[in-house]
Amino acid sequence: MEGGLQQRHVVFVVFPDALVLDLSGPLAAFELSCETSEGAAPPYRLTVASVAGGLVRTSSGLELMSQPLSGVGEVDTLVVVGGPGVHLAACEPRLLAWISDRARGIRRVCSVCTGAFVLAAAGLLGGRRVVTHWGSCRLLQDRYPDLTVSPDAIYEHDGPVWTSAGVTAGIDLALALIEDDRGHAEAIRVAKRLVVYLKRGGGQTQFSVPLALQAADDGGFEALHSWISDHLDQDLRVETLAERVSMSPRTFARLYAARTGRTPAKVVEELRLDAARRALEETRQSIKEIAVRCGFADEERMRRAFRRRLGVNPQDYRGKFGSIEAGGVAR
């Protein structure tokens, strides 16, 4: 929490072919948190830095002016961005040496999206729980088997190291860092200024179940998934779904698993859980009403699904992730 007028130096590390949004989103969050300084020194000093300094060409072609790392001085929070050029950056000896040498004196070391590969290459993530863009989680885990990579989390906080998922999750990370420094009210204020609908917590998933199904599906079951989502409160056993697509239950179950990588029963539960999560976040409905509407039949079945898949019960999930507008909901 904020403990006086200490100004914190936040340094963003960029490199050729970095992704602009990985920088601009978190940078804007910290910038907006400086609005409340009211004539006093702002709470943050912000620097964009690179190995050699000068203009750095991003993946979009936009060039950014940066300071050389050798001249940034004392650092409170280091944020390494991601982007298509991250794997070359992770092999840049001067960058890795600077990060490794300076890390001991830095209060927080962070990465946005695939920036985690740079921190891992610098030896800062060993044995820690981390996250990166969902499309790179397996590569990060395979390349650095001593890490525990969270495939779904928005961001992870393990000791002095903070890592975030892809692109816009960098804003969530910045809001969490601001909350850590200046309190919940300030983080919410900045979220509103950014017109972010909800300040997401680190434990929320990077993407919805329907989006994951679209990525896995070869085009044969889109209509079925849409129908399931509209009929979550109905009998959705394999026999029902097979009849819907005019197949025998055995053929349907085999073909569905081959195409989506999931069993029908697992997908039905994931879709019900996804719908229940959104209802807890966005509505005032009671947990009992949500359980029935989403096809869990009763509260206890929904509680078991939440504990098994998310590690929390529905009431705790709502308390952590529910929107301010949905406050005062029935239990």
Side-chain angles (χ1 to χ4, degrees):
M1 296 296 181
E2 191 170 26
L5 298 177
Q6 176 188 6
Q7 187 180 59
R8 296 175 169 89
H9 189 194
V10 183
V11 176
F12 294 85
V13 175
V14 297
F15 43 80
D17 284 331
L19 191 67
V20 171
L21 190 54
D22 281 4
L23 168 68
S24 61
L27 182 65
F30 283 108
E31 177 189 0
L32 290 173
S33 190
C34 293
E35 291 178 325
T36 56
S37 56
E38 298 179 354
Y44 297 108
R45 179 163 67 94
L46 307 174
T47 298
V48 177
S50 65
V51 171
L55 289 174
V56 176
R57 186 179 179 85
T58 65
S59 59
S60 67
L62 179 69
E63 293 186 327
L64 302 172
M65 181 58 71
S66 65
Q67 294 187 22
L69 286 173
S70 59
V72 298
E74 185 176 347
V75 180
D76 174 83
T77 301
L78 182 71
V79 182
V80 180
V81 306
V86 73
H87 297 295
L88 287 178
C91 297
E92 167 55 65
R94 292 174 296 172
L95 174 60
L96 300 183
W98 186 90
I99 293 175
S100 180
D101 290 344
R102 295 292 301 273
R104 298 183 191 87
I106 297 175
R107 182 170 66 98
R108 295 183 302 209
V109 178
C110 316
S111 64
V112 177
C113 195
T114 53
F117 284 89
V118 174
L119 296 187
L124 302 186
L125 302 187
R128 298 191 184 277
R129 188 170 186 86
V130 302
V131 68
T132 186
H133 187 281
W134 65 267
S136 297
C137 283
R138 178 171 294 182
L139 177 61
L140 183 63
Q141 185 69 81
D142 290 346
R143 190 169 291 180
Y144 301 97
D146 59 328
L147 311 183
T148 299
V149 180
S150 304
D152 291 332
I154 295 293
Y155 62 82
E156 287 284 359
H157 173 201
D158 188 339
V161 176
W162 299 64
T163 54
S164 77
V167 195
T168 58
I171 297 174
D172 300 287
L173 173 65
L175 291 171
L177 296 173
I178 291 168
E179 181 172 20
D180 188 49
D181 292 338
R182 310 192 67 204
H184 181 72
E186 173 62 7
I188 293 296
R189 188 195 68 80
V190 173
K192 289 180 177 179
R193 287 283 284 115
L194 288 166
V195 199
V196 175
Y197 173 67
L198 178 68
K199 192 184 81 65
R200 299 182 293 179
Q204 285 177 293
T205 57
Q206 292 191 37
F207 51 88
S208 68
V209 174
L211 180 59
L213 289 172
Q214 289 174 28
D217 198 350
D218 71 348
F221 293 113
E222 295 99 327
L224 178 63
H225 293 149
S226 179
W227 183 85
I228 292 172
S229 296
D230 291 337
H231 298 83
L232 291 175
D233 61 341
Q234 296 186 15
D235 178 359
L236 298 177
R237 288 177 293 184
V238 168
E239 292 78 7
T240 303
L241 302 181
E243 182 179 359
R244 184 76 189 171
V245 294
S246 302
M247 296 182 187
S248 70
R250 183 175 179 179
T251 299
F252 167 71
R254 176 180 55 79
L255 188 60
Y256 187 89
R259 289 182 175 178
T260 69
R262 295 168 166 85
T263 65
K266 182 176 181 181
V267 167
V268 168
E269 183 179 77
E270 287 178 343
L271 287 170
R272 283 173 169 160
L273 193 66
D274 193 56
R277 283 196 309 105
R278 285 185 279 108
L280 289 168
E281 292 170 10
E282 301 168 8
T283 76
R284 295 174 180 268
Q285 287 183 306
S286 70
I287 291 176
K288 181 178 180 180
E289 290 172 325
I290 292 172
V292 173
R293 192 188 89 182
C294 295
F296 288 103
D298 57 54
E299 294 179 61
E300 184 54 36
R301 290 185 185 181
M302 191 168 89
R303 286 193 187 97
R304 288 200 299 266
F306 264 72
R307 292 191 189 108
R308 182 172 63 252
R309 300 300 299 276
L310 301 177
V312 296
N313 63 46
Q315 189 63 40
D316 289 342
Y317 184 92
R318 170 170 266 168
K320 187 173 184 180
F321 298 128
S323 67
I324 295 174
E325 290 79 3
V329 294
R331 300 189 178 198

